[in-house]
Amino acid sequence: MRITVLSGGVGGANFLKGLLAAVGPEDEVTVIGNTADDIWLFGLRVCPDLDTVMYTLGGGIDPERKWGRTDETWNAKEELTAYGVDKTWFGLGDRDLATHLIRTQMWHDGVGLAAITERLCDRWQPGVRLLPMTEDQVETHIGIDGADGIDTIHFQEYWIRLGARVPVREVTFTGAGEATAGPGVVEAILSADRVILPPSNPIVSIGAILSVAPVATALRTTSAPVVGVSPIIGGAAVRGMADQLLTGLGIEISAAGVARHHGARTSGGVLDGWLVDGADAGELSAIETAGIAAKAVPLYMTDDATTAQLARDTLALADSLAAGR
Ligand code: GDP
Ligand code: CA
């Protein structure tokens, strides 16, 4: 079975851990990673979501923070702060810096991000093929209230420097209009037996990946069933800033609201199936009415066992859709 997963950072990476526990040794998992969170910092190319997937699946992630490296130290960050320079709000740990140094050196040598990521994964052996959604520079920008109208800032500035504490007026993906899909991405969707949207942020992770038109087109046309997992449980995001973004864009903060936002493939959207938590079972009929097969199962990824069970439930919904064709 070839399974292709579109992933952001923490939510996607946790789900993928469960998926790898649930699949057999002959199954192949390909991950299309969000690169719209990527940022240049001190001349370094930083790819937070790709690294979160790579470190999580490779056993290098900090288990409490859920981003960056285990046994991290922060000497470089302290030195940067002592110089009084900007952008020290972004967490660049000493161990993590090595990843960014290698990536940036290869970038300047003209190597594409897909090959760079493959080189980094040679060390981490994440157990999946990790493909950047694009090699072009697509960036998520957030519009917030400024002195004279809307100020547009990089997503990392909104999320980390401002702590997502200011209202969101708009979300744009700069460069997405001209971006092409990364090497292997369209093929991984079209040749997949199953496509999964894990409980990643619907706007800045899944939405960012779908902002690359050839990726969205592949998702709409693949013969594989496309099944997603709600990142919203009981009317709130489990963690992160999805609530604030959905509010800013006028999308209902509910499992059904996000399902309708993604839309049914039968009416131009990207979903065939959608899993909601048992707490949201009351929304199943609304999701079915939108043309999306829906099922309620436990969606909290509290430990390895519940996460693997969620992955099995996701595959089971996809299996039932494939069988019904
Ligand atoms: P990020 O790039 O690190 O923000 O990670 P993702 O975009 O991959 O995932 C963020 C989303 O994961 C958030 O919207 C959360 O609501 C969702 N999430 C986190 N933990 C869980 C969980 O245990 N269950 C579900 N269903 N969603 C979760
Ligand atoms: Ca992210």
Side-chain angles (χ1 to χ4, degrees):
M1 185 93 85
R2 277 164 302 186
I3 304 166
T4 296
V5 182
L6 276 55
S7 178
V10 179
N14 282 344
F15 179 88
L16 284 162
K17 245 180 107 180
L19 182 64
L20 288 179
V23 298
E26 69 289 350
D27 297 321
E28 282 171 29
V29 179
T30 299
V31 177
I32 297 169
N34 174 36
T35 60
D37 282 11
D38 296 7
I39 187 167
W40 288 103
L41 290 167
F42 307 104
L44 299 177
R45 190 65 180 161
V46 180
C47 302
D49 284 0
L50 293 179
D51 288 351
T52 296
V53 171
M54 182 174 80
Y55 292 157
T56 300
L57 301 182
I61 200 85
D62 182 279
E64 266 80 53
R65 264 184 284 119
K66 298 193 189 301
W67 57 267
R69 293 278 287 106
T70 40
D71 303 321
E72 190 56 285
T73 54
W74 304 93
N75 296 300
K77 186 177 162 86
E78 280 168 32
E79 290 295 310
L80 288 165
T81 305
Y83 279 108
V85 292
D86 187 24
K87 299 206 167 127
T88 52
W89 41 264
F90 193 92
L92 285 177
D94 299 333
R95 288 182 187 278
D96 194 29
L97 271 171
T99 303
H100 311 317
L101 287 168
I102 293 171
R103 175 185 293 124
T104 307
Q105 185 193 28
M106 291 181 77
W107 182 293
H108 289 312
D109 287 344
V111 182
L113 188 60
I116 294 172
T117 304
E118 195 180 345
R119 168 71 182 85
L120 295 171
C121 286
D122 281 346
R123 172 185 174 195
W124 291 104
Q125 296 291 315
V128 301
R129 195 160 61 110
L130 178 57
L131 305 178
M133 69 191 204
T134 181
E135 295 196 319
D136 299 321
Q137 290 187 57
V138 174
E139 283 184 358
T140 301
H141 286 194
I142 306 290
I144 61 171
D145 293 330
D148 330 285
I150 290 180
D151 280 352
T152 299
I153 56 175
H154 191 288
F155 169 72
Q156 300 296 353
E157 202 165 348
Y158 163 77
W159 170 226
I160 300 178
R161 186 171 73 78
L162 300 178
R165 281 185 293 268
V166 295
V168 173
R169 301 303 178 197
E170 62 183 30
V171 178
T172 48
F173 304 107
T174 65
E178 306 80 51
T180 56
V185 167
V186 167
E187 192 205 351
I189 296 172
L190 294 181
S191 69
D193 299 301
R194 306 284 185 265
V195 177
I196 297 176
L197 308 189
S200 282
N201 187 300
I203 309 298
V204 295
S205 294
I206 303 296
I209 298 171
L210 297 178
S211 76
V212 179
V215 180
T217 301
L219 212 61
R220 291 193 175 94
T221 52
T222 181
S223 59
V226 181
V227 169
V229 178
S230 176
I232 304 293
I233 299 177
V238 181
R239 73 196 290 283
M241 78 324 282
D243 296 3
Q244 293 92 314
L245 294 170
L246 291 168
T247 302
L249 299 181
I251 300 165
E252 185 184 288
I253 308 172
S254 69
V258 174
R260 277 191 296 265
H261 172 71
H262 288 319
R265 287 218 295 165
T266 45
S267 47
V270 296
L271 288 177
D272 296 312
W274 189 240
L275 288 181
V276 307
D277 190 71
D280 299 315
E283 299 179 20
L284 288 174
S285 63
I287 299 166
E288 298 265 0
T289 302
I292 300 162
K295 201 166 185 299
V297 299
L299 290 199
Y300 281 109
M301 301 184 285
T302 28
D303 54 36
D304 288 352
T306 57
T307 310
Q309 185 55 44
L310 174 57
R312 279 190 288 272
D313 290 337
T314 309
L315 291 170
L317 178 58
D319 288 349
S320 71
L321 291 169
R325 288 199 173 156

